[in-house]
Amino acid sequence: MTANGQTGKTFRLLLVLLLTVMAVGLGYAVLELHSSAGGLSKQVATNLEASGVSNPVTAVLLNFRGYDTLLEMAVLLVALIGVWSLGGIPDYRESSPGPVLDTLSRLLVPMLILVAGYLLWVGTHAPGGAFQAGSVLGAAGVLLLLSGWRLEKIFAGLPLRVILILGLGAFVTAGGGFLLIGNVFMEYPSALAGELILMVEAAATLSIGVTLAALFLGGRPEAGLDK
Amino acid sequence: MEALTLLQWVFDSLLVLCLFWLAGRALASPDLFKAIVLFIAFGLLMALAWVRLDAPDVALAEAAIGAGLTGALLLAALARLKSMGDLYRDDSDCGETKGDDS
């Protein structure tokens, strides 16, 4: 017992030492930073016209640095595949949601869908965008799942999977389609960029929302293949 | 104007202190449910911090994903851990009784 306590104490001391070294290192790194790093905001502002949207954040996420967003969505999809590979849905004891949750979800879900649509639309010129809209849509899905709603078995097979990959598919199609006319990957022609970004964002919103709700469900929904 | 900047300083300092306190409590809490609730509160205050840093886009994402959906996911995972924990506890009980017998 005492030997155990001794090792615990040594371990704790070692941990404190390591953390102190790391904190000192981080502090040193922050202090060594140049105080006047220019950043890329000026470059974004000068090229904003060509991106097709007037919100610089959306311009960076969906156009200038589209790769990052594309890979983020791929990560989300891989996470869902990982969760699904762990097995089916555990047998929850089905409980009736109760009048408050039932009424509230009936009121809130249409409003959440409306808010998601608004965030998606407003993302082109003000704070908002696909990830925010998608997460609001996902929250609506979580609320529905909490109040006992389940996906119909007919839709749990292919239709669900199509929606899950819709965002990634639209992104890759829009990014790769213009390879044919000689652009580099993910270079949109600036005349079409605004519409393209809105379409990609709409597909991404749907996919992100459904992926997040499916992650909350935590298991592959049973598909009714026999139907 | 002076009073306004002073007020902002006070608000920011309180925000930072609250964030550190919530993060510490969430990490140190032995009760996982409590830790998750503290984490959700941390996410909401973090969204406020992003607003103070003039990053409304990140604030929206933080409030929706960081505080909302991650909290729901963690609570769902906790519910599953608990049902699995009951299963394992039953197993270990069996093992202990066997050990006593021998």
Side-chain angles (χ1 to χ4, degrees):
Chain A
M1 193 66 196
T2 45
N4 207 355
Q6 203 80 32
T7 44
K9 210 173 259 178
T10 343
F11 179 70
R12 210 169 273 186
L13 260 176
L14 199 70
L15 210 61
V16 168
L17 205 69
L18 275 175
L19 280 175
T20 316
V21 167
M22 203 171 135
V24 168
L26 274 177
Y28 179 71
V30 168
L31 284 178
E32 283 295 293
L33 283 179
H34 289 286
S35 55
S36 59
L40 294 170
S41 46
K42 216 172 262 176
Q43 234 172 315
V44 170
T46 45
N47 289 312
L48 196 57
E49 198 77 7
S51 72
V53 290
S54 56
N55 179 14
V57 177
T58 308
V60 170
L61 284 181
L62 269 296
N63 200 332
F64 303 146
R65 297 283 309 169
Y67 250 124
D68 293 7
T69 313
L70 179 71
L71 291 181
E72 268 173 35
M73 291 177 56
V75 164
L76 211 54
L77 199 63
V78 169
L80 183 66
I81 292 171
V83 168
W84 277 11
S85 72
L86 293 177
I89 304 170
D91 315 320
Y92 278 125
R93 283 185 297 273
E94 287 291 335
S95 56
S96 54
V100 177
L101 183 58
D102 198 49
T103 318
L104 196 70
S105 65
R106 266 164 222 272
L107 283 173
L108 273 181
V109 166
M111 209 162 81
L112 283 173
I113 293 172
L114 203 65
V115 168
Y118 169 74
L119 279 175
L120 169 67
W121 178 251
V122 87
T124 53
H125 55 84
F131 260 90
Q132 289 87 339
S135 55
V136 171
L137 208 60
V142 168
L143 201 59
L144 276 176
L145 289 173
L146 279 178
S147 55
W149 176 82
R150 290 291 179 274
L151 196 64
E152 294 273 340
K153 275 195 174 180
I154 322 166
F155 301 120
L158 191 64
L160 177 66
R161 284 160 176 74
V162 167
I163 291 180
L164 284 176
I165 61 157
L166 192 65
L168 205 58
F171 218 146
V172 171
T173 316
F178 292 101
L179 282 173
L180 298 174
I181 59 164
N183 288 6
V184 294
F185 186 58
M186 306 222 102
E187 179 193 358
Y188 308 134
S190 42
L192 285 173
E195 287 80 359
L196 271 175
I197 285 177
L198 192 63
M199 272 188 330
V200 167
E201 277 201 301
T205 300
L206 208 57
S207 289
I208 291 167
V210 174
T211 309
L212 290 173
L215 276 174
F216 179 74
L217 191 60
R220 187 156 36 85
E222 267 180 52
L225 290 174
D226 48 344
K227 279 189 181 175
Chain B
M1 195 64 202
E2 285 270 309
L4 197 64
T5 43
L6 187 70
L7 204 67
Q8 282 177 350
W9 261 99
V10 170
F11 182 79
D12 287 353
S13 328
L14 272 178
L15 194 61
V16 168
L17 284 178
C18 270
L19 277 172
F20 273 114
W21 183 72
L22 279 173
R25 286 294 306 278
L27 282 176
S29 168
D31 182 4
L32 283 180
F33 178 76
K34 208 176 183 179
I36 293 171
V37 174
L38 283 166
F39 176 78
I40 295 172
F42 173 84
L44 284 175
L45 280 192
M46 196 66 217
L48 213 56
W50 284 118
V51 171
R52 288 292 299 137
L53 289 168
D54 275 335
D57 290 85
V58 188
L60 270 174
E62 174 69 39
I65 299 180
L69 275 165
T70 314
L73 281 177
L74 285 173
L75 285 175
L78 179 67
R80 260 204 221 191
L81 268 180
K82 269 191 179 149
S83 60
M84 263 166 114
D86 292 343
L87 215 72
Y88 285 132
R89 204 167 301 130
D90 291 347
D91 285 359
S92 65
D93 282 349
C94 289
E96 269 172 28
T97 43
K98 264 180 202 164
D100 286 341
D101 285 341
S102 67

